[in-house]
Amino acid sequence: MMIKVFPKLRKQIWGSYRLGEMFGSNEKIGEVWLLSGHPLFITEAEGGLDLNEDMEKLIGKKLPRFPLLVKLISAEDWLSVQVHPNDDEAQELENEPWGKTEAWYFVEKGQIAIGEDPEKVKRALEDNSWDEALKKVEIEPGTFVFLPAGTVHALGPGGLLVEVQQASDLTYRVYDWGRGRELHIEKAFKVMKERKVEDLIVENFENFECEYFRIEKLERGKLEGFCAIVILENGVLDNRQVSPFETFIVPKGEKAELRATALVMRIGKFFEQWGDKK
């Protein structure tokens, strides 16, 4: 058994008309929220199920909100240079239950920028030396990029990617390419950490696990227990014809058979153990 989830579209200044067209909009869409229990956009599900109210039925646990947030993203311009807080910082600075660790799976070729050294980022704000502060990398299709909280990063124009993250919308902008939007410099400096680009990139992606989520790229298989599925290519899920970027949930205690290339996501130990030590 699986349950289809219906997307919500989010307009962004850096967004893409192409992404809008894919989902029946003539507006500049930056993000399609494929799966979300975040109060900004709560995605609806088949059968009238509510991801937050029916969470115990879906994942077997009650959390502050549905824990995984999955998006489809495409941009025509650079996103802001930004950073996200970790769980402790989110609780302290924003009174939010958790921070924002995320990951990107690139369906099409794209580009990213990483601020490996926070000191260089701080210097760039004073002397505009962003070419030195940001390491830009071309990303091939099928590549996975892990962005733990505290990573200074930006997504470049072009490409198409699936983002999997903790259900948080906490973003601190450091630099916005002169677009004049609000920046969050003081908070950003409190949360940014040193990173190395080579530690974040997984080419020819097959699977990944961190404390918040587990992700597999599968072409076929029997799925059992709670998981979220984002279809990448035409195929079949439980005798149902499915198309790219359709999104489904297999609830706890249920099964489904996959015969389509897809990303399959499950919650990690952080969410599995939520409440056990509270």
Side-chain angles (χ1 to χ4, degrees):
M1 171 190 167
M2 80 276 186
I3 300 161
K4 185 170 183 178
V5 183
F6 302 101
K8 300 272 189 180
L9 309 187
R10 187 180 193 182
K11 293 186 287 185
Q12 297 282 20
I13 193 171
W14 44 261
S16 161
Y17 287 111
R18 173 203 172 198
L19 191 57
E21 287 169 7
M22 287 170 62
F23 287 83
S25 169
N26 59 7
E27 296 186 292
K28 210 172 185 181
I29 301 300
E31 301 174 343
V32 178
W33 289 38
L34 299 173
L35 177 67
S36 169
H38 190 280
L40 184 62
F41 290 115
I42 298 175
T43 49
E44 297 174 1
E46 278 180 336
L49 280 169
D50 185 293
L51 296 187
N52 293 327
E53 295 299 321
D54 298 312
M55 202 181 316
E56 283 191 76
K57 186 187 300 183
L58 295 172
I59 68 174
K61 208 167 187 68
K62 191 69 176 172
L63 298 157
R65 64 178 69 113
F66 193 83
L68 297 181
L69 176 51
V70 184
K71 305 173 184 175
L72 185 66
I73 298 177
S74 185
E76 289 180 4
D77 297 296
W78 278 95
L79 276 69
S80 63
V81 178
Q82 57 189 244
V83 64
H84 310 302
N86 64 25
D87 303 319
D88 292 339
E89 292 159 348
Q91 291 164 20
E92 179 187 343
L93 297 172
E94 308 292 349
N95 198 30
E96 275 280 300
W98 48 67
K100 185 176 174 182
T101 282
E102 61 189 7
W104 295 339
Y105 173 79
F106 280 78
V107 178
E108 297 177 359
K109 186 173 182 175
Q111 53 185 324
I112 63 170
I114 302 294
E116 295 183 309
D117 183 346
E119 292 305 316
K120 289 184 178 179
V121 173
K122 293 175 183 179
R123 197 153 55 242
L125 281 165
E126 297 173 0
D127 62 14
N128 216 33
S129 56
W130 289 104
D131 286 344
E132 186 178 337
L134 299 176
K135 189 168 184 177
K136 293 184 178 179
V137 184
E138 297 283 330
I139 304 294
E140 294 299 321
T143 300
F144 179 89
V145 179
F146 180 49
L147 297 168
T151 305
V152 178
H153 64 281
L155 175 67
L160 186 67
L161 63 97
V162 177
E163 178 178 273
V164 183
Q165 59 165 88
Q166 290 174 275
S168 167
D169 197 46
L170 294 178
T171 296
Y172 300 147
R173 287 192 207 104
V174 181
Y175 177 66
D176 199 36
W177 315 97
R179 285 182 291 228
R181 291 187 296 173
E182 180 186 4
L183 302 179
H184 315 94
I185 304 298
E186 187 178 336
K187 288 180 178 178
F189 284 169
K190 289 181 180 179
V191 308
M192 60 177 67
K193 312 289 190 297
E194 280 193 28
R195 299 284 187 241
K196 291 293 183 187
V197 167
E198 55 266 30
D199 296 335
L200 307 177
I201 296 174
V202 180
E203 296 178 343
N204 302 311
F205 172 72
E206 292 182 1
N207 58 72
F208 177 85
E209 180 173 352
C210 70
E211 60 183 315
Y212 304 108
F213 42 75
R214 292 174 283 150
I215 309 172
E216 291 180 279
K217 184 182 178 183
L218 297 175
E219 293 182 4
R220 58 181 59 244
K222 294 189 185 301
L223 307 177
E224 188 168 350
F226 168 74
C227 61
I229 305 154
V230 175
I231 303 299
L232 298 177
E233 296 177 7
N234 290 331
V236 177
L237 180 62
D238 258 6
N239 300 314
R240 179 175 185 162
Q241 295 290 328
V242 291
S243 303
F245 312 120
E246 287 191 294
T247 302
F248 300 88
I249 289 174
V250 177
K252 182 185 182 226
E254 300 288 345
K255 299 178 182 179
E257 183 166 355
L258 175 70
R259 285 182 287 132
T261 303
L263 293 180
V264 178
M265 294 145 283
R266 296 177 172 87
I267 59 173
K269 290 180 181 177
F270 175 85
F271 293 123
E272 290 175 342
Q273 296 169 358
W274 181 271
D276 297 350
K277 54 183 182 295
K278 296 286 180 184

